[in-house]
Amino acid sequence: MSELTRVQLLWLQGKIENRIRFGRTVRELRLDHYRREVAFTPGSVFAFVRWSSNDYGTVLSRINVLQAVGPGEACATVPFVAPGAAILLQVFGWPKVERVLQQIDAIEALGIDPADVAPDHWWHVQNRMAAGQPPRPYTDLRHRAWLHRRTFMP
């Protein structure tokens, strides 16, 4: 069994778009003109965006911020993600997806790779959005605190 978390991506012009918004892939395999498979090492954090439409407009819009797990670790099943991943954030519907994408853009504007953000920040964003409240912005100070705290983790 592979230690990598694999994500199948699909793109059909104007119909389906499954893509990675951020994250560090360690492998990419082109399956055909429309499909690719990317892989992440255990502990990697990545954002997986799924969108689809029909003749009447958007029918699905969602974003998941996920953390790849190692063999034997508990995980949730997520469509197109094998074997699964820890869900740090999960939102449905374009208005909420757009707010998460704005959060990601703001983090990148600080010069921080969203894949390096503290996992508890993504939980915070999820919980604040669920409560109908704006999430606190991720700051350089919070990021430095996370990097410092991470040095003491096993």
Side-chain angles (χ1 to χ4, degrees), residues 3-5 24-26 39-46 67-69:
E3 289 189 14
L4 300 176
T5 296
R24 292 186 194 91
T25 60
V26 292
F40 298 90
T41 57
S44 297
V45 175
F46 60 96
Q67 188 168 31
V69 296

Side-chain angles (χ1 to χ4, degrees), residues 6-145:
R6 299 170 321 280
V7 181
Q8 283 204 359
L9 307 176
L10 174 64
W11 179 78
L12 295 172
Q13 175 94 29
K15 294 290 182 189
I16 299 173
E17 184 177 347
N18 294 351
R19 65 184 177 96
I20 299 298
R21 172 57 179 85
F22 68 79
R24 292 186 194 91
T25 60
V26 292
R27 188 181 74 203
E28 182 174 333
L29 176 64
R30 182 164 296 281
L31 302 171
D32 57 35
H33 184 69
Y34 306 103
R35 297 178 304 138
R36 295 181 298 137
E37 182 179 273
V38 295
F40 298 90
T41 57
S44 297
V45 175
F46 60 96
F48 181 39
V49 179
R50 291 190 293 147
W51 172 89
S52 64
S53 71
N54 62 19
D55 293 338
Y56 302 101
T58 298
V59 294
L60 172 78
S61 186
R62 74 186 311 162
I63 186 169
N64 293 84
V65 176
L66 305 168
Q67 188 168 31
V69 296
E73 289 185 278
C75 65
T77 58
V78 178
F80 305 103
V81 178
I87 299 172
L88 304 178
L89 177 143
Q90 175 174 264
V91 297
F92 311 92
W94 177 247
K96 290 181 180 179
V97 169
E98 186 176 35
R99 283 187 295 215
V100 171
L101 292 172
Q102 289 167 352
Q103 290 281 318
I104 294 168
D105 290 343
I107 290 167
E108 290 174 333
L110 294 172
I112 299 170
D113 185 335
D116 294 329
V117 166
D120 57 356
H121 177 72
W122 300 116
W123 295 324
H124 162 76
V125 172
Q126 161 88 32
N127 292 333
R128 295 289 287 191
M129 289 180 70
Q133 299 293 317
R136 288 187 302 273
Y138 195 73
T139 63
D140 187 53
L141 181 61
R142 285 178 192 234
H143 188 63
R144 284 186 282 136

